[in-house]
Amino acid sequence: MGVRGLQGFVARVCPDACQTVDLRELAEKHRTDHPGSPPVIVVDAMSCVRRWYTPECWVCGGQWREYLAILEDFINAFMAAGIKLVFYFDGVVEEKKRDEWIKRRMKNTEEIARLFQFIKTHRKQPGKEMFVLPSALPTFTRYALKSLGQKTVCTLQEADFEVAAYGLQHNCIGILGQDSDYLIYNTCPYFSIENLRLDRLVTVMYSREVLCHVLGISLTHLPLFACLLGNDVVPESMLEGFWHKCLTTGPHRNSSYNRRTNILLSVAHYISKIPCSYSSLKHLEEILPLGADKALLCRGVSSYLLPGQQSPWIPPNVTNCQMLSLQQQSALCQDKEIFQLAKEQHIQSENYSIFNILSHGEIECSNSLEDDYDTEIPGQALIYRPARQHIYSILLESGK
């Protein structure tokens, strides 16, 4: 989900970090440097769905053939340059991010309510400024890409972690998406889907090194920097006092910048002055109002460490919490063979709901394009509740 304001900060304050690149040239260089290893771009598909789905009549959904043609054109443009694509989709909502996920769904519900109010008032579809993705589009997109012969992966963890790990481990030429967390992970280059010119295969590459130079910090600082700005692990609500301290004790604020930009610069200045050590992290945990969870900052920093990576902020004996959560995954399904099959099919995007039910006993339903203020028609979640309960009872063998 990223760090709020960081992507815009890079574009406004350090434009040199936004470098225009030709993906064809990068692919050719990769082939020269790595003979026999095809150039691969790992795609954060959830970041790209809005770019792919462009029909005019978006409120009604549909337009399957049109959407399929758009995806096919996208794939063919990269194939013509000899670039292989691997598409990643979110497969779970991690427990530590559930509260934030719920907040965003509630915000989407408000946007959908405004959409239906506009339709009832004006008797027409609103413009793209009120655009909301049709229900279940990511699910349909997975099957569309598979039908087009593409490798699609449904994650067991938060997608950005698995995307960053895949990009690093498979020596990909880059990650294509739009998520500021890819500026934080120490992984392969990060390419912008929003700035992609498909006809020329030209886009913007965001440079972590240039960003760090502007901020006056090193790459090692980035995970702590992200946590002290607020992210999916460390809530912003806990950091207001710390931000105020940074703003008042740091260098003079630039009046031409908004408050968020000055916070980013002040936090970067603060952490640039402290030693990169676990004791520095523990001191920060003591001065921040983290409540009962004093290890929150440690967990947040370690969540950016990819397999095999270490950080001076985290002692070597502290296991990466991302990998630990995966290893400790306990199944509600007692039949290990069935569970393993469901897990494999989940990863290969052949099913979505079954693995989540067998592992967590539930599935997450995102927003639907339906009018919550229409009291005559119940919501789809209520209509389908008996069906879900029946499916749960079969998969979990409750006998009820």
Side-chain angles (χ1 to χ4, degrees):
M1 295 179 188
V3 177
R4 182 173 64 85
L6 181 57
Q7 195 85 50
F9 173 87
V10 172
R12 289 190 310 274
V13 181
C14 40
D16 288 346
C18 306
Q19 303 166 358
T20 300
V21 293
D22 187 319
L23 298 179
R24 287 191 181 91
E25 291 179 1
L26 293 179
E28 193 57 44
K29 184 178 185 303
H30 179 91
R31 278 188 285 267
T32 302
D33 295 343
H34 306 277
S37 174
V40 177
I41 290 178
V42 54
V43 181
D44 180 348
M46 303 298 280
S47 297
C48 300
V49 168
R50 273 186 183 269
R51 165 70 184 261
W52 293 330
Y53 188 80
T54 58
E56 290 299 321
C57 299
W58 52 272
V59 167
C60 303
Q63 302 94 18
W64 178 249
R65 290 181 183 174
E66 181 182 349
Y67 187 52
L68 208 59
I70 290 169
L71 293 176
E72 196 166 15
D73 289 344
F74 182 86
I75 293 162
N76 289 340
F78 286 91
M79 286 180 62
I83 300 173
K84 179 184 176 184
L85 300 175
V86 177
F87 297 88
Y88 267 77
F89 289 85
D90 271 315
V92 297
V93 177
E94 292 190 34
E95 193 59 41
K96 66 177 182 287
K97 299 185 179 183
R98 185 177 295 277
D99 288 345
E100 182 62 28
W101 183 84
I102 291 170
K103 287 178 185 176
R104 296 192 182 200
R105 299 293 76 74
M106 296 299 287
K107 183 180 178 183
N108 288 352
T109 297
E110 294 173 3
E111 293 171 357
I112 292 169
R114 286 195 294 270
L115 162 66
F116 276 97
Q117 185 58 47
F118 182 96
I119 293 171
K120 288 185 286 190
T121 302
H122 300 282
R123 297 290 191 266
K124 64 178 182 179
Q125 174 181 278
K128 287 292 179 72
E129 70 280 357
M130 296 183 74
F131 178 78
V132 178
L133 282 177
S135 307
L137 188 62
T139 301
F140 298 141
T141 304
R142 287 201 296 271
Y143 293 125
L145 291 169
K146 286 183 73 68
S147 74
L148 295 170
Q150 297 304 294
K151 179 176 180 179
T152 62
V153 179
C154 201
T155 66
L156 298 172
Q157 301 164 261
E158 194 72 24
D160 53 11
F161 178 84
E162 291 199 29
V163 166
Y166 186 93
L168 181 67
Q169 292 170 338
H170 293 82
N171 194 28
C172 296
I173 64 173
I175 292 166
L176 183 62
Q178 208 70 33
D179 186 330
S180 58
D181 270 344
Y182 297 129
L183 281 163
I184 307 300
Y185 287 108
N186 186 8
T187 182
C188 60
Y190 163 34
F191 304 135
S192 167
I193 181 64
E194 285 189 2
N195 293 284
L196 175 66
R197 286 290 305 272
L198 194 61
D199 55 341
R200 293 164 41 217
L201 279 191
V202 170
T203 189
V204 166
M205 180 181 74
Y206 297 106
S207 170
R208 301 179 191 96
E209 291 76 13
V210 174
L211 171 63
C212 286
H213 176 73
V214 171
L215 293 172
I217 60 177
S218 68
L219 291 171
T220 305
H221 286 102
L222 284 176
L224 179 61
F225 176 64
C227 291
L228 292 177
L229 290 171
N231 58 11
D232 300 333
V233 179
V234 184
E236 288 188 13
S237 58
M238 292 181 172
L239 299 167
E240 279 289 346
F242 173 72
W243 293 343
H244 179 72
K245 177 183 177 181
C246 291
L247 287 168
T248 53
T249 60
H252 183 68
R253 281 178 277 178
N254 190 323
S255 59
S256 64
Y257 293 153
N258 62 26
R259 183 173 184 268
R260 184 63 179 175
T261 297
N262 278 306
I263 287 172
L264 266 73
L265 292 168
S266 300
V267 168
H269 180 263
Y270 179 92
I271 64 173
S272 70
K273 303 301 181 185
I274 62 177
C276 289
S277 66
Y278 182 52
S279 59
S280 295
L281 187 81
K282 296 305 291 180
H283 174 68
L284 278 167
E285 287 182 333
E286 289 169 8
I287 66 174
L288 291 174
L290 300 179
D293 192 354
K294 292 299 182 184
L296 194 64
L297 201 56
C298 177
R299 195 161 68 250
V301 171
S302 64
S303 71
Y304 287 107
L305 298 181
L306 302 176
Q309 292 182 342
Q310 291 186 338
S311 167
W313 305 105
I314 308 295
N317 62 334
V318 176
T319 309
N320 181 294
C321 64
Q322 292 273 25
M323 302 310 295
L324 186 64
S325 66
L326 192 61
Q327 293 163 2
Q328 290 180 340
Q329 194 175 57
S330 58
L332 295 177
C333 173
Q334 299 305 309
D335 190 315
K336 292 183 179 179
E337 188 176 347
I338 288 177
F339 182 73
Q340 184 60 30
L341 178 61
K343 185 176 180 179
E344 291 170 3
Q345 290 186 350
H346 174 92
I347 294 170
Q348 295 164 8
S349 301
E350 292 173 6
N351 73 56
Y352 173 75
S353 304
I354 294 176
F355 173 73
N356 281 287
I357 294 170
L358 293 180
S359 57
H360 301 103
E362 60 191 12
I363 56 171
E364 287 82 13
C365 296
S366 192
N367 304 82
S368 300
L369 283 179
E370 56 184 349
D371 187 1
D372 280 352
Y373 293 101
D374 187 336
T375 56
E376 294 183 9
I377 304 175
Q380 59 86 15
L382 295 177
I383 292 174
Y384 288 105
R385 179 186 283 168
R388 289 199 307 277
Q389 292 172 334
H390 188 55
I391 292 167
Y392 290 159
S393 71
I394 293 171
L395 291 175
L396 300 176
E397 300 179 294
S398 67
K400 297 182 182 177

